[in-house]
Amino acid sequence: MSTKPTPEGDRIAKVIARAGLASRREAERMIEEGRVAVNGAVIDRAALNVTDRDRIEVDGKPLDAPEAARIWLYHKPAGLVTTTKDEQGRPTIFDALPDDLPRVMSVGRLDLNSEGLLLLTNDGAVKRKLELPSTGWLRRYRVRVNGRPTDAMLTPLREGLTIDGQTFQPMTVAIDRQQGANAWLTVSLREGKNREVRRAMADIGLTVNRLIRLSYGPFQLGQMKPGEVQEVRGRIVRDQLGLPSPAQEPPARPGPSGKAGKGKAGKPGPAKPRNVTRKRR
Protein backbone atom coordinates (compact mmCIF):
# COMPACT_ATOMS: atom_id res chain seq x y z
CA MET A 1 0.00 0.00 0.00
CA SER A 2 1.47 3.38 -1.01
CA THR A 3 1.52 6.34 1.32
CA LYS A 4 1.37 9.98 0.32
CA PRO A 5 4.59 11.91 0.93
CA THR A 6 4.46 14.61 3.61
CA PRO A 7 4.02 18.00 1.92
CA GLU A 8 7.11 20.20 2.01
CA GLY A 9 7.07 23.41 4.04
CA ASP A 10 4.52 24.77 6.51
CA ARG A 11 0.85 25.69 6.32
CA ILE A 12 0.36 29.20 4.98
CA ALA A 13 -1.56 30.40 8.06
CA LYS A 14 1.25 29.24 10.32
CA VAL A 15 3.82 31.13 8.23
CA ILE A 16 1.75 34.33 8.43
CA ALA A 17 1.39 33.93 12.19
CA ARG A 18 5.13 33.37 12.62
CA ALA A 19 5.78 36.61 10.75
CA GLY A 20 3.86 38.37 13.52
CA LEU A 21 1.15 39.71 11.22
CA ALA A 22 -1.82 37.86 12.71
CA SER A 23 -2.79 34.88 14.80
CA ARG A 24 -3.27 31.58 12.98
CA ARG A 25 -7.05 31.89 13.09
CA GLU A 26 -6.92 35.49 11.92
CA ALA A 27 -4.61 34.42 9.08
CA GLU A 28 -7.11 31.77 8.02
CA ARG A 29 -9.83 34.43 7.89
CA MET A 30 -7.57 36.67 5.81
CA ILE A 31 -7.10 33.83 3.35
CA GLU A 32 -10.86 33.18 3.14
CA GLU A 33 -11.38 36.90 2.45
CA GLY A 34 -8.98 36.74 -0.52
CA ARG A 35 -6.34 38.98 1.05
CA VAL A 36 -3.42 36.55 0.62
CA ALA A 37 -1.53 35.74 -2.58
CA VAL A 38 1.16 33.12 -3.16
CA ASN A 39 3.47 33.58 -6.16
CA GLY A 40 1.12 36.18 -7.60
CA ALA A 41 -2.06 34.08 -7.31
CA VAL A 42 -4.74 34.89 -4.72
CA ILE A 43 -5.60 31.86 -2.59
CA ASP A 44 -8.86 31.11 -0.79
CA ARG A 45 -7.97 28.07 1.32
CA ALA A 46 -5.64 27.64 4.28
CA ALA A 47 -4.83 24.00 3.46
CA LEU A 48 -1.73 24.98 1.53
CA ASN A 49 1.93 24.42 2.39
CA VAL A 50 4.56 26.99 1.42
CA THR A 51 8.34 27.12 1.63
CA ASP A 52 11.01 29.83 1.66
CA ARG A 53 10.97 29.72 -2.14
CA ASP A 54 7.38 30.94 -2.33
CA ARG A 55 6.53 34.65 -2.55
CA ILE A 56 3.74 35.54 -0.11
CA GLU A 57 1.80 38.80 -0.14
CA VAL A 58 -0.85 39.99 2.33
CA ASP A 59 -3.04 42.91 1.24
CA GLY A 60 -0.62 43.44 -1.65
CA LYS A 61 2.45 43.76 0.57
CA PRO A 62 5.27 41.17 0.77
CA LEU A 63 5.24 39.13 3.96
CA ASP A 64 8.17 39.93 6.21
CA ALA A 65 10.54 37.17 7.29
CA PRO A 66 9.49 35.46 10.53
CA GLU A 67 10.77 37.11 13.69
CA ALA A 68 12.62 35.13 16.30
CA ALA A 69 10.38 33.89 19.12
CA ARG A 70 10.13 36.53 21.84
CA ILE A 71 8.53 36.55 25.30
CA TRP A 72 7.53 39.46 27.49
CA LEU A 73 6.55 39.50 31.17
CA TYR A 74 3.51 41.67 31.93
CA HIS A 75 2.20 42.64 35.36
CA LYS A 76 -1.51 42.53 34.63
CA PRO A 77 -3.53 44.86 36.86
CA ALA A 78 -6.97 43.87 38.11
CA GLY A 79 -9.87 45.22 36.05
CA LEU A 80 -8.60 44.22 32.60
CA VAL A 81 -9.78 41.26 30.55
CA THR A 82 -7.28 39.05 28.71
CA THR A 83 -8.77 39.22 25.25
CA THR A 84 -8.33 41.34 22.13
CA LYS A 85 -11.98 42.46 22.13
CA ASP A 86 -14.66 42.27 24.81
CA GLU A 87 -18.34 41.97 23.96
CA GLN A 88 -19.24 43.95 27.10
CA GLY A 89 -16.90 46.78 26.22
CA ARG A 90 -14.61 46.25 29.19
CA PRO A 91 -10.98 47.42 28.92
CA THR A 92 -8.53 44.76 27.76
CA ILE A 93 -4.84 44.22 28.41
CA PHE A 94 -4.19 45.07 24.77
CA ASP A 95 -5.66 48.54 25.33
CA ALA A 96 -3.11 49.11 28.09
CA LEU A 97 0.08 47.66 26.54
CA PRO A 98 2.85 50.04 25.39
CA ASP A 99 2.47 51.45 21.89
CA ASP A 100 5.99 50.33 20.91
CA LEU A 101 5.24 46.67 21.59
CA PRO A 102 4.83 44.51 18.44
CA ARG A 103 1.76 42.38 17.92
CA VAL A 104 1.62 39.87 20.79
CA MET A 105 -0.57 37.08 22.11
CA SER A 106 -1.17 36.15 25.74
CA VAL A 107 -0.07 32.78 27.06
CA GLY A 108 -3.19 31.59 28.84
CA ARG A 109 -5.36 34.07 30.69
CA LEU A 110 -5.93 35.83 33.98
CA ASP A 111 -9.57 36.71 34.61
CA LEU A 112 -10.92 40.24 35.12
CA ASN A 113 -10.26 40.44 38.86
CA SER A 114 -6.97 38.52 38.88
CA GLU A 115 -3.60 40.23 38.65
CA GLY A 116 0.08 39.45 38.43
CA LEU A 117 2.32 37.74 35.90
CA LEU A 118 1.03 37.19 32.38
CA LEU A 119 3.32 35.98 29.60
CA LEU A 120 3.10 37.56 26.15
CA THR A 121 4.67 36.22 22.96
CA ASN A 122 4.88 37.07 19.26
CA ASP A 123 4.96 33.38 18.28
CA GLY A 124 1.85 31.22 18.05
CA ALA A 125 3.81 27.97 18.35
CA VAL A 126 5.43 29.19 21.58
CA LYS A 127 2.02 30.20 22.92
CA ARG A 128 0.58 26.74 22.27
CA LYS A 129 3.63 25.00 23.71
CA LEU A 130 3.51 26.96 26.97
CA GLU A 131 -0.22 26.38 27.37
CA LEU A 132 -0.04 22.60 26.97
CA PRO A 133 -0.59 20.68 30.25
CA SER A 134 2.29 18.40 29.21
CA THR A 135 4.68 21.35 29.63
CA GLY A 136 4.07 20.91 33.36
CA TRP A 137 5.32 24.34 34.37
CA LEU A 138 4.42 25.34 37.92
CA ARG A 139 2.13 28.34 38.37
CA ARG A 140 2.42 30.00 41.79
CA TYR A 141 -0.14 32.41 43.28
CA ARG A 142 -0.67 34.55 46.36
CA VAL A 143 -4.32 34.18 47.27
CA ARG A 144 -6.35 36.16 49.81
CA VAL A 145 -9.47 34.39 51.01
CA ASN A 146 -12.28 35.46 53.30
CA GLY A 147 -12.42 33.03 56.22
CA ARG A 148 -10.17 31.18 58.62
CA PRO A 149 -8.71 28.23 56.70
CA THR A 150 -7.07 25.35 58.51
CA ASP A 151 -4.81 22.62 57.20
CA ALA A 152 -7.70 20.18 57.53
CA MET A 153 -9.90 22.39 55.31
CA LEU A 154 -7.19 22.54 52.64
CA THR A 155 -6.68 18.75 52.47
CA PRO A 156 -9.08 18.25 49.50
CA LEU A 157 -7.06 20.75 47.46
CA ARG A 158 -3.84 18.90 48.23
CA GLU A 159 -5.39 15.54 47.31
CA GLY A 160 -7.18 16.74 44.19
CA LEU A 161 -10.91 17.22 43.76
CA THR A 162 -13.68 17.07 41.18
CA ILE A 163 -16.08 19.99 40.66
CA ASP A 164 -19.06 19.71 38.31
CA GLY A 165 -17.45 16.71 36.64
CA GLN A 166 -14.10 18.46 36.10
CA THR A 167 -11.07 17.01 37.86
CA PHE A 168 -8.49 19.32 39.39
CA GLN A 169 -5.05 17.92 40.05
CA PRO A 170 -3.52 18.19 43.57
CA MET A 171 -2.32 21.65 44.51
CA THR A 172 0.38 22.73 46.92
CA VAL A 173 -1.24 25.06 49.46
CA ALA A 174 0.39 26.84 52.40
CA ILE A 175 -1.20 29.21 54.94
CA ASP A 176 0.94 32.36 55.13
CA ARG A 177 -0.94 34.43 57.70
CA GLN A 178 -4.35 35.34 59.06
CA GLN A 179 -5.16 39.04 58.69
CA GLY A 180 -8.44 39.91 60.37
CA ALA A 181 -11.29 38.25 58.53
CA ASN A 182 -9.00 37.27 55.65
CA ALA A 183 -6.12 34.85 55.23
CA TRP A 184 -3.23 34.87 52.77
CA LEU A 185 -2.29 31.58 51.11
CA THR A 186 0.39 30.51 48.63
CA VAL A 187 -1.02 28.14 46.02
CA SER A 188 0.97 26.24 43.37
CA LEU A 189 -0.45 24.13 40.54
CA ARG A 190 0.63 22.72 37.18
CA GLU A 191 -2.53 22.94 35.08
CA GLY A 192 -4.24 26.31 35.21
CA LYS A 193 -7.80 25.43 34.16
CA ASN A 194 -10.36 28.23 33.87
CA ARG A 195 -10.80 29.96 37.27
CA GLU A 196 -9.29 26.86 38.90
CA VAL A 197 -8.11 28.46 42.14
CA ARG A 198 -11.33 30.41 42.71
CA ARG A 199 -13.53 27.39 42.00
CA ALA A 200 -11.46 25.08 44.18
CA MET A 201 -11.53 27.51 47.11
CA ALA A 202 -15.29 28.02 46.76
CA ASP A 203 -15.75 24.26 46.85
CA ILE A 204 -14.24 24.09 50.34
CA GLY A 205 -16.14 27.14 51.60
CA LEU A 206 -13.61 29.94 51.02
CA THR A 207 -14.13 33.06 48.89
CA VAL A 208 -11.18 34.47 47.00
CA ASN A 209 -11.09 38.28 47.15
CA ARG A 210 -7.62 38.78 45.69
CA LEU A 211 -5.46 36.59 43.45
CA ILE A 212 -1.94 37.45 42.27
CA ARG A 213 0.09 35.19 40.00
CA LEU A 214 3.71 35.25 41.16
CA SER A 215 5.34 32.97 38.62
CA TYR A 216 4.78 30.88 35.51
CA GLY A 217 7.40 28.17 35.20
CA PRO A 218 10.84 29.80 35.39
CA PHE A 219 9.48 33.31 34.84
CA GLN A 220 8.94 35.47 37.94
CA LEU A 221 6.84 38.57 38.67
CA GLY A 222 9.51 39.86 41.03
CA GLN A 223 9.29 43.60 41.74
CA MET A 224 7.46 44.55 38.55
CA LYS A 225 4.86 47.28 39.02
CA PRO A 226 1.25 46.89 37.79
CA GLY A 227 1.13 47.63 34.07
CA GLU A 228 4.87 47.15 33.59
CA VAL A 229 6.24 45.11 30.68
CA GLN A 230 9.70 43.54 30.49
CA GLU A 231 11.13 41.53 27.62
CA VAL A 232 12.98 38.30 28.43
CA ARG A 233 16.42 38.00 26.84
CA GLY A 234 16.44 35.89 23.68
CA ARG A 235 19.05 33.53 25.07
CA ILE A 236 16.89 32.80 28.12
CA VAL A 237 13.85 32.17 25.91
CA ARG A 238 15.84 29.70 23.80
CA ASP A 239 17.31 27.95 26.85
CA GLN A 240 13.96 27.56 28.61
CA LEU A 241 12.05 26.46 25.50
CA GLY A 242 14.79 24.39 23.87
CA LEU A 243 14.84 26.55 20.72
CA PRO A 244 17.81 26.55 18.32
CA SER A 245 20.39 29.31 18.75
CA PRO A 246 21.08 31.80 15.95
CA ALA A 247 24.62 32.28 14.74
CA GLN A 248 24.85 35.48 16.75
CA GLU A 249 22.37 37.15 19.07
CA PRO A 250 21.88 40.89 18.51
CA PRO A 251 22.70 43.14 21.44
CA ALA A 252 19.95 43.94 23.93
CA ARG A 253 17.97 47.04 23.08
CA PRO A 254 18.10 49.84 25.66
CA GLY A 255 15.30 50.21 28.20
CA PRO A 256 13.91 53.54 29.42
CA SER A 257 17.12 54.24 31.34
CA GLY A 258 19.17 53.90 28.13
CA LYS A 259 21.00 50.85 29.47
CA ALA A 260 20.61 47.39 28.04
CA GLY A 261 19.16 44.82 30.42
CA LYS A 262 21.52 42.15 31.66
CA GLY A 263 20.66 38.64 32.67
CA LYS A 264 21.74 35.05 32.64
CA ALA A 265 19.80 31.85 32.76
CA GLY A 266 19.21 30.63 36.26
CA LYS A 267 17.35 28.03 38.18
CA PRO A 268 14.58 28.28 39.17
CA GLY A 269 14.16 31.42 37.05
CA PRO A 270 15.81 33.85 34.65
CA ALA A 271 17.75 36.89 35.64
CA LYS A 272 16.29 40.35 35.20
CA PRO A 273 14.67 40.81 31.76
CA ARG A 274 15.03 44.02 29.84
CA ASN A 275 12.44 46.74 30.15
CA VAL A 276 9.93 48.02 27.64
CA THR A 277 8.68 51.56 27.97
CA ARG A 278 5.30 51.75 29.62
CA LYS A 279 2.43 53.70 28.16
CA ARG A 280 1.79 56.96 29.99
CA ARG A 281 -1.64 57.35 31.44
Side-chain angles (χ1 to χ4, degrees):
M1 183 176 65
S2 61
T3 58
K4 292 183 178 180
T6 303
E8 186 182 2
D10 292 311
R11 285 295 174 97
I12 179 69
K14 179 179 179 180
V15 172
I16 294 172
R18 284 183 56 223
L21 189 62
S23 71
R24 203 162 176 173
R25 289 184 180 179
E26 289 168 346
E28 290 173 352
R29 286 196 292 270
M30 291 170 132
I31 292 167
E32 292 170 358
E33 292 167 359
R35 297 168 57 189
V36 179
V38 177
N39 300 325
V42 174
I43 61 171
D44 58 6
R45 60 187 183 90
L48 172 69
N49 278 35
V50 293
T51 70
D52 294 339
R53 299 185 297 274
D54 292 305
R55 189 177 74 259
I56 303 168
E57 294 178 340
V58 178
D59 293 332
K61 297 178 181 179
L63 186 69
D64 293 333
E67 286 189 0
R70 299 166 70 186
I71 291 177
W72 291 262
L73 314 182
Y74 173 52
H75 186 159
K76 175 193 173 296
L80 300 178
V81 293
T82 312
T83 182
T84 52
K85 294 181 182 179
D86 183 66
E87 294 178 355
Q88 300 178 40
R90 296 172 296 182
T92 79
I93 64 166
F94 298 99
D95 297 326
L97 290 176
D99 293 330
D100 57 356
L101 207 64
R103 186 191 177 281
V104 294
M105 300 161 274
S106 69
V107 177
R109 294 190 177 191
L110 287 174
D111 63 38
L112 176 70
N113 296 315
S114 297
E115 53 194 294
L117 182 63
L118 186 67
L119 300 185
L120 308 172
T121 181
N122 65 330
D123 192 294
V126 168
K127 168 182 165 68
R128 288 190 294 276
K129 180 176 182 177
L130 296 186
E131 289 175 345
L132 287 173
S134 58
T135 303
W137 272 0
L138 194 71
R139 288 90 153 161
R140 188 163 55 93
Y141 302 83
R142 284 203 75 208
V143 183
R144 190 177 67 190
V145 297
N146 182 251
R148 295 185 174 274
T150 64
D151 278 328
M153 287 179 64
L154 300 174
T155 297
L157 304 185
R158 294 169 177 147
E159 294 180 346
L161 68 170
T162 300
I163 303 173
D164 297 331
Q166 189 171 28
T167 300
F168 293 161
Q169 297 299 316
M171 305 176 184
T172 300
V173 188
I175 302 173
D176 296 332
R177 69 178 188 275
Q178 187 73 37
Q179 193 175 41
N182 296 316
W184 280 99
L185 313 175
T186 297
V187 179
S188 301
L189 49 89
R190 293 188 181 277
E191 284 190 309
K193 293 177 180 174
N194 185 37
R195 298 178 62 84
E196 182 169 354
V197 174
R198 295 180 186 275
R199 293 169 62 194
M201 292 295 173
D203 195 64
I204 62 171
L206 297 171
T207 301
V208 173
N209 51 38
R210 192 171 182 192
L211 188 149
I212 309 167
R213 184 192 279 160
L214 300 178
S215 64
Y216 193 108
F219 303 109
Q220 311 287 326
L221 181 66
Q223 301 302 313
M224 290 176 64
K225 297 178 176 62
E228 186 175 352
V229 178
Q230 294 181 352
E231 183 174 3
V232 180
R233 277 190 171 276
R235 179 173 55 80
I236 295 174
V237 172
R238 294 192 299 273
D239 288 348
Q240 297 294 348
L241 302 183
L243 301 176
S245 299
Q248 185 177 4
E249 182 181 350
R253 279 178 279 181
S257 65
K259 295 181 179 180
K262 295 181 179 180
K264 61 180 180 179
K267 297 180 180 179
K272 184 179 180 180
R274 58 182 185 260
N275 292 327
V276 174
T277 304
R278 287 182 289 164
K279 178 184 286 184
R280 294 183 181 272
R281 302 197 180 207

